[in-house]
Amino acid sequence: HTPQLLEEQERLIATLIEAHRKTYDASYSDFSQFRPPKRGDGSPECRNATNPFLMSLLNSDMDELPKASASGAEAAAGDELSMLPHLADLVSYSIQKVIGFAKMIPGFKELCTEDQISLLKASAIEIIILRSNESFTMEDNSWTCGSNEFKYQIGDVMQAGHKLELLEPLVKFQVNMKKLDLHEAEHVLLMAICLFSPDRPGVQDRCRVEEVQEHLTETLRAYIACRHPLSCKHMLYTKMVEKLTELRSLNEEHSKQYLQISQDAVNKEDLPPLLLEVFGNPTA
Ligand code: H97
């Protein structure tokens, strides 16, 4: 049988969409306030990077090595972690927006502060990965946020210290998300469901969190059943729940790599205080 969208569920969806619109600026105009992106291009000056050639191929449309860098082995200016300041600022900014979004979800403010913190700490990277799907394009598998300066490709994330093997699943995830072609209602419900996961470490009032999550998933099921075109709703709910499982493993990988990056970072100022609080500060 077909569940109905109750008036209350309609209102919930409207609230979530409004919360997302208020916290996701699709013009990306704030990005110029971040520390600027520094992209090593595989030139001899940038030879210090671990994979300069691979990186230059990933970062451009060329499919051949640049002649200049094909010879000589002189190492020069440190290019390692050159994208870290910019991407750390992007992530810190995104965390602030995720917090703003969370505060507008009915039920979040009613939790005790400790549980609010536990949920945000655990889900921040997952919600950032989810919300970033809006800027992701399958045209060139990049996150395109306006100008070329703010177009992020795999090579850029490698230059923040992340490993290629682990970025491939991230891009695959983005492509598969894009293919689901979610409605805005489904996109915002998925982010809210991700936040209200009762099994996150440190959560005290699991029952309350579970109650809200169940209400959100019930709303998602009802929405898909009555609003999504028949031809595409087949297994959509199941596929969305599978995405949450994939996010857990991306999250786990991120934690490991983040720990490594934060230990490797020579300039501790590269990591903004909010980022250290949310993902951990190994030197604290
Ligand atoms: C969105 F590397 O909020 C708005 F150290 O859509 C727009 F920095 O580890 C643009 F320390 O293990 C957005 F944690 C785009 F910070 C999002 C993108 C594109 C955000 C650039 C790379 C991002 C990606 C989502 C996640 C990913 C930010 C990286 C996140 C990070 C980091 C750090 C930090 C840093 C890498 C994720 C690594 C995996 C593969 C999950």
Side-chain angles (χ1 to χ4, degrees):
H1 81 128
T2 311
Q4 281 252 316
L5 257 192
L6 305 170
E7 214 169 293
E8 194 276 322
Q9 294 174 319
E10 294 263 28
R11 270 200 306 274
L12 174 58
I13 292 172
T15 303
L16 294 180
I17 289 180
E18 158 116 318
H20 178 61
R21 291 200 177 149
K22 282 184 177 156
T23 50
Y24 192 99
D25 169 22
S27 79
Y28 308 111
S29 57
D30 294 331
F31 285 30
S32 57
Q33 291 167 40
F34 307 157
R35 285 168 291 175
K38 273 212 193 91
R39 294 176 168 93
D41 57 359
S43 64
E45 297 72 44
C46 297
R47 197 56 60 79
N48 227 3
T50 324
N51 301 299
F53 298 117
L54 191 47
M55 213 107 77
S56 70
L57 293 169
L58 289 165
N59 272 330
S60 71
D61 294 328
M62 321 178 285
D63 48 16
E64 271 178 71
L65 289 169
K67 289 210 176 61
S69 18
S71 67
E74 64 274 34
D79 173 49
E80 252 152 325
L81 303 184
S82 66
M83 281 298 286
L84 185 56
H86 181 77
L87 288 183
D89 283 353
L90 167 62
V91 172
S92 175
Y93 169 87
S94 300
I95 292 171
Q96 294 176 54
K97 300 299 171 183
V98 169
I99 296 170
F101 174 70
K103 289 172 73 174
M104 289 183 262
I105 304 177
F108 187 77
K109 279 196 163 153
E110 287 69 38
L111 297 170
C112 66
T113 312
E114 289 71 29
D115 282 354
Q116 294 182 15
I117 290 172
S118 300
L119 292 184
L120 278 168
K121 273 195 174 186
S123 67
I125 192 69
E126 297 180 19
I127 300 178
I128 291 171
I129 290 170
L130 279 174
R131 78 204 303 272
S132 78
N133 199 243
E134 196 161 333
S135 67
F136 187 84
T137 168
M138 290 198 285
E139 241 156 75
D140 58 357
N141 284 352
S142 76
W143 290 265
T144 300
C145 304
S147 65
N148 274 337
E149 195 182 17
F150 306 130
K151 175 195 269 289
Y152 310 107
Q153 293 176 306
I154 287 193
D156 297 325
V157 193
M158 286 171 70
Q159 287 181 70
H162 284 281
K163 295 210 167 55
L164 180 60
E165 313 90 84
L166 302 159
L167 289 167
E168 275 160 351
L170 175 65
V171 171
K172 251 212 159 98
F173 177 90
Q174 296 296 338
V175 169
N176 290 329
M177 273 295 290
K178 217 61 194 179
K179 287 186 181 160
L180 289 186
D181 204 16
L182 299 185
H183 297 181
E184 190 171 27
E186 295 157 346
H187 180 64
V188 296
L189 277 164
L190 189 59
M191 291 192 290
I193 291 167
C194 176
L195 176 69
F196 280 89
S197 301
D199 59 335
R200 304 290 195 180
V203 174
Q204 293 304 309
D205 200 347
R206 283 168 187 265
C207 284
R208 267 264 275 265
V209 176
E210 195 173 334
E211 244 174 72
V212 177
Q213 194 190 45
E214 273 167 9
H215 185 55
L216 290 161
T217 56
E218 219 24 71
T219 305
L220 176 62
R221 293 179 79 110
Y223 179 91
I224 293 171
C226 46
R227 297 295 163 77
H228 213 95
L230 235 183
S231 56
C232 357
K233 73 170 129 213
H234 180 64
M235 297 300 261
L236 182 56
Y237 176 77
T238 310
K239 286 176 189 161
M240 289 178 73
V241 172
E242 281 169 8
K243 292 287 156 248
L244 294 175
T245 313
E246 291 176 46
L247 282 166
R248 293 294 178 113
S249 89
L250 290 170
N251 189 347
E252 212 164 291
E253 284 310 330
H254 177 260
S255 301
K256 288 185 207 154
Q257 289 194 63
Y258 168 82
L259 184 64
Q260 190 63 53
I261 292 169
S262 53
Q263 285 166 350
D264 291 349
V266 183
N267 301 318
K268 297 301 173 195
E269 322 80 63
D270 282 356
L271 301 172
L274 178 62
L275 209 119
L276 292 168
E277 248 183 66
V278 171
F279 298 139
N281 185 354
T283 62

